[in-house]
């Protein structure tokens, strides 16, 4: 049985829909007065509301630019929204999209006669001896088959859902006693057989943490929930420093370097700056001599 | 229910307990030099941030020179084993200091031994 991909057409349709939606959004943005509160209500209407600070910043930037303000503001907001969508998608891992792809795929059946014909045509090309040109017949048969093909409904019932019983509230709320724990440990020790093959060994290692989980997730243990502007705009940490002089110059270079560093978390960057602060405070007397 | 509680503790215990099957556990380093190298690596990791920051102050054309001299003395006062230059990439199995390939962390002799016994994935004898 062959799996036919009728996905390309659907992709095109989706793209067309998206384009029309974007055009509609831009028209709406142009029609509304470019004032901030209207902008915020618009955004809150569409799915996830953008950070109000970001919206204000975008409107300020748009007002500072000389060209068409409303258009630039709507474009900036659209970009921010897109940026947030991509970050959300990446965070989720995009596993949902695969499901959509599979749902949209249809199954195509091939009659045994056709299969036989294909095999024979594979062995010797262009069997014209019997006068049977299989090609024109194929296309008609294929179209009939695709209409009859098994259409997968929206629910992919590959696996039976584990009955989601509501977890019974512990009637006796006492925590497990030491005897219970010991008993549990004994049972675990008895039932944990040594691994029979390499797969079970690898499973055990994964549980213990010796082996990573595949496909490798590069961001295990790294949960940076900070927004991009916290990484880049670090000048607010520079308030404790003098406003002029070589130290300020030096710290501005440090901040420039930190803002370009994708490997450190925001905490680490802040610690970096605070270390310098402490250091220069200790050396204050020395500096004042100079 | 007590059964649910028990089941939960069993599950936790199964993961916590190491399996009873014997597994090789390395409890000794190959030799004392390897141990010293390990200590140096640990110290270098601990002081890496400090060294980076003090060096940033030293290798500078903006800050005054007196400050840089003070920073020089500070970095010299750090423990000697905290500098990364003292780390030597030894062979992991034999502690050989020379002839070690970085990708495998093995000395050339051990590498050859394993490669010839087909225990190195993707390594083949060259022939062209």
């Amino acid at each position: 049985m062959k799996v036919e991909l009728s996905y390309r057409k659907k992709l095109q349709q989706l793209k067309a829909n998206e384009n029309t939606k974007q055009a509609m959004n831009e028209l709406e943005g142009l029609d509304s007065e470019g004032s901030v509160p209207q902008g915020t209500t618009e955004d809150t209407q569409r799915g996830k509301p953008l950070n109000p600070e970001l919206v204000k910043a975008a409107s300020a930037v748009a007002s500072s630019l000389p060209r068409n303000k409303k258009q630039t503001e709507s474009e900036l907001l659209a970009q921010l929204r897109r940026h947030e969508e991509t970050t959300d998608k990446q965070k989720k891992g995009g596993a949902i999209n695969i499901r959509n792809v599979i749902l949209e795929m249809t199954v195509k059946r091939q009659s045994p006669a056709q299969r036989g014909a294909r095999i024979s045509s594979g062995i010797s090309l262009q069997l014209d001896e019997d006068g049977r040109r299989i090609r024109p017949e194929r296309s008609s048969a294929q179209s009939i088959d695709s209409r009859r093909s098994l259409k997968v409904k929206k629910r992919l019932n590959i696996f039976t859902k584990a009955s989601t019983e509501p977890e019974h509230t512990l009637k006796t709320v006492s925590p497990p006693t030491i005897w219970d724990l010991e008993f549990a440990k004994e049972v675990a020790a008895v039932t944990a057989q040594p691994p029979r093959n390499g797969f079970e060994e690898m499973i055990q290692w994964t549980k213990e943490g010796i082996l990573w989980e595949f496909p490798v997730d590069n961001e295990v243990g790294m949960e940076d929930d900070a927004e991009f502007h916290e990484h880049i705009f670090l000048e607010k940490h520079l308030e404790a420093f003098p406003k002029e002089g070589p130290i300020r110059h030096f710290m501005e270079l440090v901040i420039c370097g930190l803002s370009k560093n994708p490997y450190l978390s925001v905490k680490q960057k802040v610690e970096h700056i605070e270390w310098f602060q402490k250091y220069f405070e200790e050396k204050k007397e020395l500096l004042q001599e100079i | 229910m007590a059964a649910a509680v028990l089941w939960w503790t069993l599950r936790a215990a199964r993961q916590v307990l190491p399996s009873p099957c014997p597994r090789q556990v390395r409890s000794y380093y190959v030799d004392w030099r390897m141990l010293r190298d390990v200590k140096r690596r640990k110290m270098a990791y601990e002081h890496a941030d400090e060294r980076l920051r003090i060096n940033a102050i030293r290798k500078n054309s903006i800050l005054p020179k007196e400050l840089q001299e003070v920073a020089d003395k500070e970095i010299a006062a750090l423990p000697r084993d905290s500098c990364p230059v003292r780390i030597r990439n030894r062979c992991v199995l034999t502690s050989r200091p020379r002839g070690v390939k970085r990708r495998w962390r093995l000395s050339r002799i051990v590498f050859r031994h394993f490669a010839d016994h087909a225990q190195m994935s993707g390594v083949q004898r060259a022939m062209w």
Side-chain angles (χ1 to χ4, degrees):
Chain A
M1 287 210 285
K2 212 172 139 197
V3 172
E4 188 188 70
L5 288 171
S6 57
Y7 179 63
R8 233 181 258 164
K9 283 185 188 171
K10 305 229 172 174
L11 238 191
Q12 283 171 359
Q13 279 175 12
L14 274 171
K15 274 188 187 168
N17 287 342
E18 264 189 46
N19 286 337
T20 50
K21 268 187 195 168
Q22 273 194 6
M24 289 295 292
N25 288 350
E26 282 190 13
L27 278 172
E28 281 178 45
L30 279 172
D31 287 341
S32 71
E33 328 264 68
S35 56
V36 170
Q38 282 213 0
T40 48
T41 49
E42 259 187 56
D43 299 317
T44 46
Q45 277 165 17
R46 278 163 215 155
K48 285 193 181 166
L50 284 176
N51 208 350
E53 296 170 0
L54 288 174
V55 171
K56 278 184 200 169
S59 63
V61 165
S63 56
S64 67
L65 289 172
R67 288 204 297 166
N68 192 356
K69 294 174 191 177
K70 301 163 198 170
Q71 203 179 22
T72 45
E73 196 192 328
S74 59
E75 279 173 13
L76 279 171
L77 289 171
Q79 273 224 348
L80 279 171
R81 216 175 293 129
R82 254 177 273 149
H83 180 77
E84 276 211 31
E85 272 176 29
T86 47
T87 46
D88 284 337
K89 263 188 211 170
Q90 276 175 5
K91 277 182 195 171
K92 282 177 197 168
I96 308 164
N97 294 333
I98 300 171
R99 187 160 260 236
N100 289 339
V101 169
I102 295 173
L103 285 172
E104 282 160 7
M105 289 206 282
T106 54
V107 172
K108 188 182 144 184
R109 268 224 179 108
Q110 214 180 37
S111 60
Q114 274 186 359
R115 223 186 293 148
R118 274 214 184 137
I119 294 166
S120 56
S121 63
I123 295 167
S124 55
L125 298 165
Q126 292 175 2
L127 275 177
D128 280 329
E129 294 169 354
D130 293 330
R132 279 195 181 188
R133 270 222 156 179
I134 303 153
R135 276 174 215 164
E137 282 183 15
R138 242 192 239 163
S139 54
S140 57
Q142 273 176 13
S143 57
I144 294 165
D145 276 332
S146 60
R147 268 177 249 149
R148 278 193 282 135
S149 61
L150 292 170
K151 286 218 165 167
V152 183
K153 311 262 163 129
K154 283 205 173 161
R155 296 193 62 199
L156 261 185
N157 284 321
I158 304 172
F159 303 105
T160 52
K161 261 192 193 173
S163 55
T164 51
E165 292 170 358
E167 289 186 4
H168 301 293
T169 52
L170 298 172
K171 285 171 192 175
T172 50
V173 192
S174 61
T177 63
I178 302 172
W179 305 115
D180 285 337
L181 289 169
E182 281 301 313
F183 179 63
K185 278 184 198 168
E186 260 189 63
V187 170
V190 166
T191 53
Q193 300 296 323
R196 296 176 296 180
N197 51 35
F199 291 116
E200 294 195 3
E201 199 184 32
M202 285 203 276
I203 293 171
Q204 221 169 53
W205 284 347
T206 313
K207 281 186 196 164
E208 290 174 29
I210 299 171
L211 207 58
W212 285 345
E213 286 182 359
F214 294 98
V216 172
D217 183 14
N218 278 325
E219 299 179 3
V220 162
M222 198 172 87
E223 288 175 19
D224 203 15
D225 296 325
E227 298 277 313
F228 70 97
H229 53 86
E230 286 174 44
H231 277 274
I232 296 174
F233 301 116
L234 296 161
E235 277 161 7
K236 55 186 174 182
H237 303 290
L238 273 195
E239 282 161 16
F241 288 94
K243 302 229 170 173
E244 283 177 353
I247 296 182
R248 182 81 185 189
H249 189 22
F250 174 74
M251 287 314 295
E252 277 174 9
L253 287 175
V254 167
I255 273 173
C256 178
L258 280 179
S259 68
K260 294 184 191 175
N261 189 334
Y263 301 109
L264 295 180
S265 67
V266 177
K267 261 191 189 177
Q268 286 171 320
K269 292 184 186 177
V270 171
E271 273 174 23
H272 200 87
I273 298 172
E274 280 173 9
W275 184 92
F276 275 114
Q277 204 180 326
K278 268 190 236 168
Y279 184 81
F280 286 127
E281 271 182 27
E282 284 170 22
K283 311 288 167 190
K284 249 191 182 175
E285 301 142 4
L286 189 84
L287 291 169
Q288 271 155 11
E289 284 169 32
I290 306 164
Chain B
M1 276 287 285
V5 169
L6 246 181
W7 178 80
W8 173 86
T9 50
L10 225 163
R11 211 165 157 224
R14 199 177 283 152
Q15 284 179 355
V16 161
L17 253 191
S19 64
C21 70
R23 208 196 314 141
Q24 233 185 10
V25 176
R26 192 173 295 284
S27 44
Y28 297 100
Y29 287 110
V30 176
D31 58 6
W32 288 94
R33 283 170 290 177
M34 192 190 240
L35 216 189
R36 277 183 269 147
D37 195 56
V38 167
K39 283 189 206 168
R40 281 184 203 124
R41 281 167 195 265
K42 283 185 192 163
M43 284 216 79
Y45 181 79
E46 284 164 31
H47 294 270
D49 290 335
E50 261 184 66
R51 288 193 94 95
L52 174 75
R53 289 157 190 170
I54 298 178
N55 267 326
I57 294 176
R58 285 172 66 220
K59 310 283 177 179
N60 224 328
S61 52
I62 309 167
L63 296 174
K65 283 189 186 175
E66 291 84 356
L67 193 63
Q68 288 174 357
E69 282 165 25
V70 170
D72 279 341
K73 286 179 203 162
E74 275 200 9
I75 205 170
L78 284 176
R80 206 166 261 205
D81 272 352
S82 66
C83 64
V85 191
R86 282 169 73 97
I87 296 174
R88 181 81 197 184
N89 291 325
R90 289 178 165 271
C91 168
V92 161
L93 294 178
T94 53
S95 180
R96 196 162 194 272
R98 298 196 172 104
V100 180
K101 281 313 255 178
R102 243 203 181 187
R103 183 174 169 181
W104 296 276
R105 302 180 185 175
L106 290 178
S107 90
R108 54 179 179 82
I109 307 163
V110 179
F111 174 80
R112 242 174 74 95
H113 178 268
F114 284 136
D116 287 340
H117 287 70
Q119 288 167 359
M120 298 289 273
S121 173
V123 173
Q124 200 188 23
R125 279 192 155 257
M127 179 168 30
W128 75 96

